[in-house]
């Protein structure tokens, strides 16, 4: 029997002891004496969030498929346990073996959102691993980062030994083999890092030195040894059907956010919305086949016992075989009493028909993400969703019995005018009117309920909007209030609700997203001042960050408010995502002109992602 | 047909809450391909009902869940099938068919529960010198303890709810206590009362209670005035 790292006493005081005991169905247990490499896979947020993450599950499966590697899971201890562990000096451990992280060879930390950066430091700190890579000795684990935020790793460069740029399926074997070889040869940590720098997709930050112009912008990004390439190209899977997939994922006891089988149907997105980072970094679109997916779904249900299945992709409506896939799943799931939870599909006759089969129309709501309030701004962001499409979709749905609608918008988009802001409320009003026009009085079940929510736009690296200037916190709030006021003026205001996100987090996210290596000092200082769980509004404290910026002399405005020139060298430009900077710039210019660019299926715009030799770019 | 499953919950599984164990069983039954009956509607869920929730940190070899199935193999095979998909720490001990008629709902029939309780550390309250206090504690006509529940807080006499109580030579306590939805006594209450008794007698320093390790042995129902294990309401299928 395993010995738990925490005493009974401490566990019973915890809010949810099951976050720390492991032992779930399908958790992989190996003999620690029989494996050559111990790998701890970290999701720097609470168990229920991390345990829902597909990327983690894929890597866990892939690494454990190697008999010489034991990959285990680690999540951020929740606040109550964080306190206990600090007070009692208990080192952070991995769930499977319950062994301290210090004993591991690798700590792989997945970086899904900027607001988890202080939790990265929390994990290192609780593990007793020096926060700065430069301070780590030979016997310390190698800390490797991956995930979408690794596409601008610079703010975290000081804390990581390596970053993995791209999809995990490709280069881990080379990395682990290289590690074993180096150890067999008696090589040092430094020897390994230099070797690793030659592996496709691997970035070793300590082997590069950024140089700056007097105005603070980046002048050069200099490799310090011959092994470190000037450009690091992301690595991606070209044949999705052949990629390993976790057929026996861990089934948590606790109710995870994703408490169901998750079926990844494709990677990438054809759309090219100009604000969307995922839409660019995961290019090109690559699909899995229906046959493969149906097999996978069956195996996963057998191995987990989940009674629900959901599809995962950036835009499931664009999956070309969606009809056959859903029909296949529907017929199988009916027999097995499995529910299908649908991702947000484009609302049309087909999707409404499917939705009415799998969910209770009275309870479920329709989701639209127009992102912008007017056609003008929707053209700017290249969101190919027209008012006509929204209204005709809504009308059809209202006739089918739906009466709840959710709308998602962004505020603070480049070129945004007051008309665009007011357009948010006006669009919501039009949808309400459509309900009253479509549904005769005697058939109405109460009022239509339209909920619009707005988040504030944060420019991300590797998007056409990476050149955009952000607004101030006050300005974001002013815009949100203007929208709110416009909602109050609408005839059907009683059927409309408007909510918006917090503005201070937005500004911080902006600094971290497009930050350079100098921002790391502020992250470290914020953590020392007690910032942690920044993604949780109940713990987020902007004051700590303001103080950290003051103390470290990092000026947030430099990263958010400064206009960026076309030719400026960005901290992330040493990464090659296939999509070229030239294409992104062209898209920025087209945005300024309000020109829409066709999606990959309509016609190829030559973005550069064709270099990977797979996916949609080579389908025709 | 109605089925009663008896299972144990031991080892690290004691840190999994009752609610999570319920969710665990839904999935486990599917993994074992048990032909369980579902409710109607858009999100059908399996028909199942659990007996008397176990506190977090406690272990048990007498946990029960009643389900309904369309078909079944013999009990021994079903037990085997279920155990093939169980987590370490949960073991299925029985899979029996309940009579189709009569009041058999697991929760409704419960009348008593057996517990074994260890003190931690054991030597905190030496049996040799304290056994006399234990006997005098139980010999009282009434044992009034202050009990807090979610809805109320009151003094109540727990003596009538203690059906059997022994301090065994191995140092553990055996308790048979009233259980069920209307009259339920927790083993902690019996021992907390005892520690208070010791404190008042000066045999235990104030506020220095040992921790308890509680293990449930079985749950019982009543039929024709007789106490029988919940398991024995059903019959093995052969
Ligand atoms: S190369 Fe063409 S088809 Fe391929 S991702 Fe880019 S725009 Fe789309």
């Amino acid at each position: 029997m395993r010995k738990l790292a925490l005493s009974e006493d401490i566990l019973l005081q915890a809010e949810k002891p099951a976050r720390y005991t492991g032992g779930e169905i399908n958790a992989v247990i190996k003999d620690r004496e029989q494996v050559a490499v111990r790998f701890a896979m970290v999701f720097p947020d609470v168990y229920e969030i991390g345990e829902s993450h597909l990327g983690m599950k894929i890597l866990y499966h892939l690494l454990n498929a190697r008999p010489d590697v034991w990959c285990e899971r680690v999540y951020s201890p929740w606040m109550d346990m964080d306190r206990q562990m600090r007070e009692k000096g208990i080192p952070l451990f991995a769930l499977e073996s319950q062994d301290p992280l210090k004993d591991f060879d690798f700590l792989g930390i997945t970086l899904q959102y900027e607001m988890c950066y202080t939790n990265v430091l929390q994990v290192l700190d609780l593990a007793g691993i020096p926060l700065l890579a430069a301070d780590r000795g030979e016997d310390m684990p190698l800390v490797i980062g991956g995930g979408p935020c690794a596409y601008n790793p610079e703010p975290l460069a000081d804390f990581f030994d390596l970053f993995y740029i791209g999809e995990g399926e490709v280069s881990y074997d080379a990395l682990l083999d290289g590690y074993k070889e180096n150890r067999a040869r008696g090589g040092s940590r430094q020897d390994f890092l230099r070797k690793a720098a030659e592996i496709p997709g691997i970035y070793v930050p300590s082997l590069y030195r950024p140089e700056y112009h007097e105005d603070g912008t980046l002048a050069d990004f200099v490799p310090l040894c011959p092994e470190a390439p000037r450009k690091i190209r992301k690595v991606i899977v070209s044949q999705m059907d052949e990629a390993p997939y976790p057929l026996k994922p861990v089934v948590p006891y606790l109710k995870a956010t994703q408490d169901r089988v998750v079926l990844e149907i494709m990677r990438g997105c054809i759309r090219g919305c100009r604000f969307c980072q995922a839409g660019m970094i995961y290019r090109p679109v690559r699909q899995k086949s229906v046959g493969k997916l149906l097999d996978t779904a069956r195996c996963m249900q057998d191995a987990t016992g989940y009674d629900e299945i959901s599809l995962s992709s950036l835009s499931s409506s664009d999956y070309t075989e969606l009809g056959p896939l859903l029909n296949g799943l529907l017929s199988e799931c009916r027999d097995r009493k499995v529910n299908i939870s649908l991702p947000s599909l484009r609302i049309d006759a087909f999707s409404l028909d499917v939705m009415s089969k799998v969910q209770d129309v009275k309870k479920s709501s329709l989701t639209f993400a127009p992102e912008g309030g007017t056609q003008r701004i929707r053209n700017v962001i290249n969101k190919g969703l027209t008012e006509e499409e929204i209204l005709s979709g809504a009308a059809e749905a209202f006739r089918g019995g739906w009466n709840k609608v959710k709308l998602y918008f962004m505020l603070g988009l480049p070129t945004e005018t007051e008309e665009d802001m007011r357009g948010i409320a006006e669009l919501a009003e039009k949808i309400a009117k459509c309900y009253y026009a479509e549904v005769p009085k005697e058939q109405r079940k109460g009022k239509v309920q339209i909920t619009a929510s707005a988040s504030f736009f944060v420019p991300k690296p590797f998007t056409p909007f990476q050149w955009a200037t952000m607004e101030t916190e006050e300005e974001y709030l002013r815009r949100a209030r203007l929208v709110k006021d416009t909602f109050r003026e609408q005839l059907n205001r009683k059927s409309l609700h408007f909510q918006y996100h917090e503005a201070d987090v937005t500004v911080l996210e902006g600094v971290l997203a497009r930050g350079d290596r100098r921002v790391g000092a502020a992250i470290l200082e914020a953590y020392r001042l007690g910032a942690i769980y920044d993604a949780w509004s109940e713990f987020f404290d902007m004051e700590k960050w303001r103080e950290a910026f003051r103390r470290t002399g990092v000026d947030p405005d430099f990263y958010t408010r400064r206009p960026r020139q076309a030719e400026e060298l960005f901290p992330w430009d040493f990464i090659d995502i296939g999509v070229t900077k030239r294409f992104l710039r062209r898209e920025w210019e087209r945005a300024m002109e309000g020109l829409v660019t066709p999606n990959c299926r309509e016609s190829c715009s030559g973005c550069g992602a064709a270099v990977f030799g797979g996916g949609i770019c080579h389908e025709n | 047909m109605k089925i009663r499953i008896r299972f144990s919950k031991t080892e690290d599984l004691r840190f999994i809450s009752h609610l999570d164990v319920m969710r665990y069983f839904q999935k486990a039954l599917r993994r074992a391909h048990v032909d369980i009956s579902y409710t109607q509607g858009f999100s059908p869920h399996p028909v199942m009902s659990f007996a008397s929730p176990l506190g977090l940190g406690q272990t048990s070899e007498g946990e029960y869940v009643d389900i309904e199935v369309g078909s079944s193999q013999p009990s021994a095979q079903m037990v085997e099938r279920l155990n093939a998909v169980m987590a370490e720490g949960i073991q299925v001990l029985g899979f029996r068919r309940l009579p189709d008629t009569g009041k058999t709902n697991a929760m409704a029939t419960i009348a008593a529960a057996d517990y074994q309780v260890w003190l931690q550390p054991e030597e905190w309250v030496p049996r040799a010198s304290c056994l006399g206090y234990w006997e005098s504690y139980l010999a009282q006509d009434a044992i009034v303890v202050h009990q807090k529940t979610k809805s109320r807080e009151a003094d109540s006499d727990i003596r009538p709810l203690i059906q059997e109580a022994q301090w065994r030579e191995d140092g553990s306590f055996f308790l048979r206590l009233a259980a069920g939805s209307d009259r339920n006594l927790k083993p902690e209450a019996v021992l907390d009362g005892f520690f208070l008794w010791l404190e008042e007698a000066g045999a235990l320093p104030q506020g220095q209670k040992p921790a308890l390790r509680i293990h449930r042995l079985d749950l019982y129902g009543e039929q024709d005035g007789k106490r029988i294990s919940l398991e024995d309401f059903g019959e093995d299928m052969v």
Side-chain angles (χ1 to χ4, degrees), chain A residues 253-254 304-305 336 338, chain B residues 14 23 30-31 42 87 213:
Chain A
Y253 294 107
L254 290 175
T304 60
R336 291 169 166 248
V338 169
Chain B
R14 69 184 185 278
R23 292 165 8 85
R30 300 180 70 102
R31 285 197 297 273
F42 266 102
R213 169 65 76 87

Side-chain angles (χ1 to χ4, degrees), chain A residues 56 62 173 271 288-289 317 385 409 429 438 618:
Chain A
M56 258 312 263
L62 172 101
D173 274 335
R271 299 267 145 194
K288 286 189 189 174
S289 68
S317 288
L385 183 64
F409 294 98
E429 170 73 12
E438 289 298 330
H618 301 274

Side-chain angles (χ1 to χ4, degrees), chain A residues 269-270 279-280 283-285 578-579 583 597-601 603-611 614-618 620:
Chain A
C269 179
I270 57 169
M280 293 296 155
R283 279 190 177 209
V285 162
V579 177
F583 171 79
T597 298
N599 70 46
C600 297
R601 222 170 280 291
S603 77
C604 171
S605 307
C607 74
V611 293
I616 191 167
C617 329
H618 301 274
N620 307 317

Side-chain angles (χ1 to χ4, degrees), chain A residues 1-2 4 8 11-12 17 25 251 253-255 259 302-307 336-339 359-360, chain B residues 11-16 20 23-24 27 30-31 33 38 42-44 56-57 85-88 213:
Chain A
M1 209 182 100
R2 300 176 312 148
L4 297 180
E8 170 146 15
L11 281 167
L12 289 177
I25 292 290
V251 186
Y253 294 107
L254 290 175
K255 193 169 166 58
D259 186 34
D302 284 343
T304 60
Y306 278 121
D307 59 3
R336 291 169 166 248
K337 299 276 192 296
V338 169
N339 299 326
Q359 46 192 237
D360 190 343
Chain B
E11 301 170 20
D12 300 346
L13 262 291
R14 69 184 185 278
F15 299 112
I16 308 302
D20 290 333
R23 292 165 8 85
Y24 164 88
K27 297 190 182 90
R30 300 180 70 102
R31 285 197 297 273
H33 297 281
Y38 286 83
F42 266 102
S43 46
L56 208 61
V85 299
M86 285 292 131
E88 210 179 312
R213 169 65 76 87

Side-chain angles (χ1 to χ4, degrees), chain A residues 239-508:
Chain A
Q239 286 299 324
M240 287 299 287
D241 270 357
E242 281 150 38
Y245 198 71
L247 298 178
K248 295 175 74 180
V250 170
V251 186
Y253 294 107
L254 290 175
K255 193 169 166 58
T257 327
Q258 281 279 4
D259 186 34
R260 51 189 72 86
V261 165
V262 177
L263 201 57
E264 185 188 33
I265 60 174
M266 64 176 173
R267 283 195 194 156
C269 179
I270 57 169
R271 299 267 145 194
C273 295
R274 291 176 179 134
F275 55 83
C276 178
Q277 188 186 39
M280 293 296 155
I281 59 180
Y282 300 132
R283 279 190 177 209
V285 162
R286 292 147 291 153
Q287 296 198 156
K288 286 189 189 174
S289 68
V290 173
K292 178 84 184 177
L293 287 171
L294 292 177
D295 281 349
T296 305
R298 215 169 297 129
C299 290
M300 290 179 75
Q301 281 167 23
D302 284 343
T304 60
Y306 278 121
D307 59 3
E308 195 173 332
I309 184 163
S310 78
L311 306 184
S312 162
S313 78
L314 290 169
S315 169
S316 298
S317 288
D318 294 324
Y319 179 73
T320 51
E321 305 288 307
L322 191 63
L325 174 63
L326 285 174
N327 286 331
L329 283 175
L330 272 171
S331 69
E332 191 147 321
C333 290
R334 230 189 326 262
D335 302 342
R336 291 169 166 248
K337 299 276 192 296
V338 169
N339 299 326
I340 303 181
S341 90
L342 287 178
S344 29
L345 297 174
R346 202 173 321 123
I347 306 295
D348 54 23
F350 166 73
S351 64
L352 288 171
D353 177 51
V354 177
M355 280 162 70
S356 67
K357 284 182 189 149
V358 300
Q359 46 192 237
D360 190 343
V361 171
K362 288 189 291 294
K363 287 189 197 128
S364 63
S365 54
L366 302 168
T367 306
F368 294 97
E371 308 292 359
T374 60
Q375 196 54 49
R376 191 202 70 80
I377 193 96
R378 285 194 294 272
N379 290 349
V380 168
I381 62 179
N382 207 41
K383 182 92 200 181
L385 183 64
T386 65
E387 185 168 306
E388 213 187 310
E389 282 167 333
I390 296 170
L391 291 177
S392 69
E396 178 123 23
F398 293 150
R399 286 194 296 270
W402 273 270
N403 66 349
K404 292 190 194 73
V405 181
K406 280 193 212 150
L407 299 170
Y408 292 102
F409 294 98
M410 268 191 272
L411 276 171
L413 288 161
T415 78
E416 186 174 69
T417 64
E418 297 206 348
E419 201 183 327
D420 300 321
M421 300 169 211
R422 277 196 289 271
I424 292 175
E426 285 155 12
L427 181 58
E429 170 73 12
K430 279 179 201 153
I431 297 171
K433 282 208 177 103
C434 164
Y435 176 80
Y436 295 108
E438 289 298 330
V439 188
K441 215 177 203 136
E442 58 285 0
Q443 283 174 31
R444 286 179 209 154
K445 294 172 200 82
K447 273 203 287 279
V448 64
Q449 290 173 42
I450 299 174
T451 309
S453 39
S455 59
F456 300 111
F457 164 65
V458 177
K460 295 280 163 100
F462 293 114
T463 63
F465 286 173
Q466 62 180 348
W467 284 275
T469 307
M470 288 179 74
E471 307 298 339
T472 60
E473 195 181 319
E474 297 72 37
E475 175 61 15
Y476 286 125
L477 293 173
R478 185 189 74 84
R479 293 187 185 191
R481 280 192 294 262
L482 190 142
V483 177
K484 187 136 202 133
D485 289 343
T486 317
F487 266 94
R488 288 208 192 92
E489 291 159 15
Q490 305 304 313
L491 214 58
N492 288 299
R493 56 187 169 273
K494 294 231 169 77
S495 307
L496 312 178
H497 303 275
F498 175 66
Q499 60 208 24
Y500 54 91
H501 289 213
E502 265 134 283
D504 47 2
V505 192
T506 304
V507 172
L508 179 58

Side-chain angles (χ1 to χ4, degrees), chain A residues 67-135:
Chain A
D68 56 345
V69 176
W70 187 8
C71 174
E72 307 183 37
R73 296 158 300 142
V74 181
Y75 303 104
S76 276
W78 190 240
M79 286 300 238
D80 59 335
M81 188 55 76
D82 178 275
R83 208 172 308 122
Q84 288 271 9
M85 293 177 81
R86 281 174 209 269
E87 266 170 29
K88 305 208 163 67
I90 303 165
L92 185 58
F93 52 91
L95 288 178
E96 280 77 0
S97 64
Q98 301 271 314
D99 288 339
L101 294 187
K102 257 189 177 172
D103 298 352
F104 282 69
D105 298 286
F106 284 93
L107 228 65
I109 307 185
T110 179
L111 303 164
Q112 295 296 318
Y113 29 86
E114 289 82 4
M115 302 319 286
C116 73
Y117 288 179
T118 52
N119 278 51
V120 170
L121 299 182
Q122 174 214 22
V123 166
L124 294 174
D125 205 5
L126 289 177
I129 297 169
L131 302 185
L132 295 174
D135 297 340

